[in-house]
Amino acid sequence: MTEKFYTLGIETSCDDTGVAVLNNDNEVLCEFLSSQIKDHSKFGGVIPEFAARKHLENLLPLVDAALKECNLKGNELNLIAVTCGPGLMGSLIVGVQTAKALSQVWRVPLIGVNHIEGHLFAPLVEAKNLEPPFLSLIVSGGHTEIIEVKNFGDYKLLGETRDDAAGEAYDKAAKILGLNYPGGPEIDRLAKNGNPYAFNFPIPLKNTHEIEFSFSGLKTALLWQGEKFQEQNQIIPEQKIEDLCASFQRAVTEALISKINLAVKLTGIKKVTASGGVLANSALREALMNDKNFKVWLPELKRCTDNAVMIAMAGRNSFKRGNFSRDEVVVNPSLNI
Ligand code: KG4
Ligand code: ZN
């Protein structure tokens, strides 16, 4: 029988407090997520100090609940994996300091995990046997990048956004249209009743030969359409909002699909994974699954957005590669992959 190995994952990089426990086979024994979306949506975005305070309130009760659910004591864990960056400074500090304290009290090894590497592992929760090399499209509120996974731990950034991340663009577009935060799910929902060809938004950087993204111009194009109604002292009719959402979503999706195709062409790698909050988007998921130029592995919907399972997976993999740390885990809000 293989020896038991339990990994506790902790994620607090932004506004979701996540805790999860994995067993030796990387099976999810339990996962808890406390979302602060309702708290922040009334402000139209994440308030960093408030997020940190909420993590402080939520984290230890979630760790207790997770251990109880798995019938484990803290000192029976074999590894604690915690997000150490990139993300919001205050939020990261709460997670890392808590993890350091637990690691010392329980005498359990601690490993710091790059949040982006965490997203990269999200599809592997289901696709356990997927081996590198593969390409990984990471599209979240803070990042839009394509990474070549040469091996686990050996990553090459092939391209990223020049300005806004795609999730950020969704959130800003939603704000322009008077929709709630976070904007991605709202636009996704309204786009279902809209015509994606009603507005001819530009597909950013579609025809360049670089793997690169830009979403700020698209947001401005949407703003102009909204202003046309304001100039005539009109509120935007509901059908037009749905059309704007569908057209905006089509433009973002086409930009992402065109560059993943370029990356496949340039590298010759036809295995693609994708992850990050924007991968919860129905149009993007469909476009990736229907693309015949590559085979794609996507995370379950609930593991596209921030969660602790992906952090535990990435930490466990890194630990297997010989990395671990205790007091040296350093918070770095702008950590790169
Ligand atoms: O990965 P994530 O939870 O946090 C970051 O690391 O940023 O991603 C959050 C982002 C937000 O910008 C949100 O609007 C976007 O993911 N998002 C979506 C959808 N669900 C969440 N964007 C488009 N369509 C969705 N269904
Ligand atoms: Zn994230």
Side-chain angles (χ1 to χ4, degrees), residues 11 13 115 119 140-141 276-277 304-306 310:
E11 157 63 32
S13 68
H115 181 79
H119 275 302
S140 71
C304 291
T305 43
D306 294 346
M310 66 185 198

Side-chain angles (χ1 to χ4, degrees), residues 60-316:
L60 281 176
L62 284 190
V63 171
D64 276 345
L67 292 179
K68 205 176 247 170
E69 170 119 349
C70 302
N71 217 357
L72 284 172
K73 294 196 179 67
N75 59 10
E76 289 174 306
L77 293 168
N78 302 86
L79 181 66
I80 299 175
V82 62
T83 306
C84 58
L88 301 172
M89 176 64 109
S91 294
L92 290 166
I93 287 177
V94 175
V96 168
Q97 289 305 111
T98 307
K100 276 185 183 176
L102 296 178
S103 141
Q104 287 191 357
V105 171
W106 292 333
R107 300 191 175 280
V108 174
L110 174 68
I111 191 155
V113 175
N114 181 316
H115 181 79
I116 303 302
E117 190 179 14
H119 275 302
L120 203 143
F121 272 82
L124 299 162
V125 180
E126 279 85 43
K128 287 200 171 46
N129 299 323
L130 180 64
E131 291 290 334
F134 57 84
L135 299 177
S136 189
L137 171 69
I138 308 284
V139 203
S140 71
H143 293 264
T144 301
E145 44 203 55
I146 297 179
I147 296 161
E148 181 181 343
V149 179
K150 293 166 180 274
N151 216 327
F152 292 123
D154 185 4
Y155 308 119
K156 182 176 175 194
L157 180 64
L158 296 182
E160 61 188 328
T161 181
R162 289 185 187 178
D163 40 57
D164 291 350
E168 190 181 357
Y170 268 109
D171 295 337
K172 287 178 177 170
K175 208 168 196 172
I176 291 169
L177 296 174
L179 308 173
N180 287 337
Y181 173 85
E186 287 288 288
I187 291 183
D188 196 353
R189 181 176 62 78
L190 290 163
K192 290 197 167 61
N193 299 321
N195 173 5
Y197 297 94
F199 294 89
N200 191 19
F201 287 130
I203 313 298
L205 305 177
K206 187 176 182 182
N207 296 319
T208 69
H209 299 288
E210 303 287 323
I211 301 169
E212 56 182 351
F213 303 97
S214 166
F215 296 103
S216 67
L218 189 53
K219 176 194 65 196
T220 311
L222 180 83
L223 184 66
W224 284 342
Q225 290 298 336
E227 280 173 353
K228 278 191 194 162
F229 287 94
Q230 278 170 3
E231 277 163 17
Q232 295 157 15
N233 283 331
Q234 284 180 15
I235 54 161
I236 313 177
E238 192 162 327
Q239 181 58 51
K240 284 281 174 245
I241 298 234
E242 289 167 347
D243 287 347
L244 284 165
C245 288
S247 304
F248 179 85
Q249 182 172 271
R250 179 180 63 86
V252 174
T253 304
E254 279 191 30
L256 295 168
I257 293 291
S258 74
K259 294 303 177 181
I260 194 72
N261 267 290
L262 179 61
V264 167
K265 197 170 148 198
L266 293 178
T267 60
I269 299 173
K270 292 184 179 210
K271 291 195 288 185
V272 173
T273 67
S275 170
V278 180
L279 257 298
N281 184 267
S282 52
L284 179 58
R285 291 180 83 86
E286 203 182 316
L288 283 166
M289 311 250 252
N290 290 340
D291 202 309
K292 300 273 179 290
N293 295 324
F294 50 81
K295 187 164 162 40
V296 72
W297 288 263
L298 303 179
E300 254 185 76
L301 273 185
K302 66 176 177 186
R303 304 220 184 85
C304 291
T305 43
D306 294 346
N307 65 85
V309 171
M310 66 185 198
I311 301 302
M313 286 281 293
R316 171 76 176 114

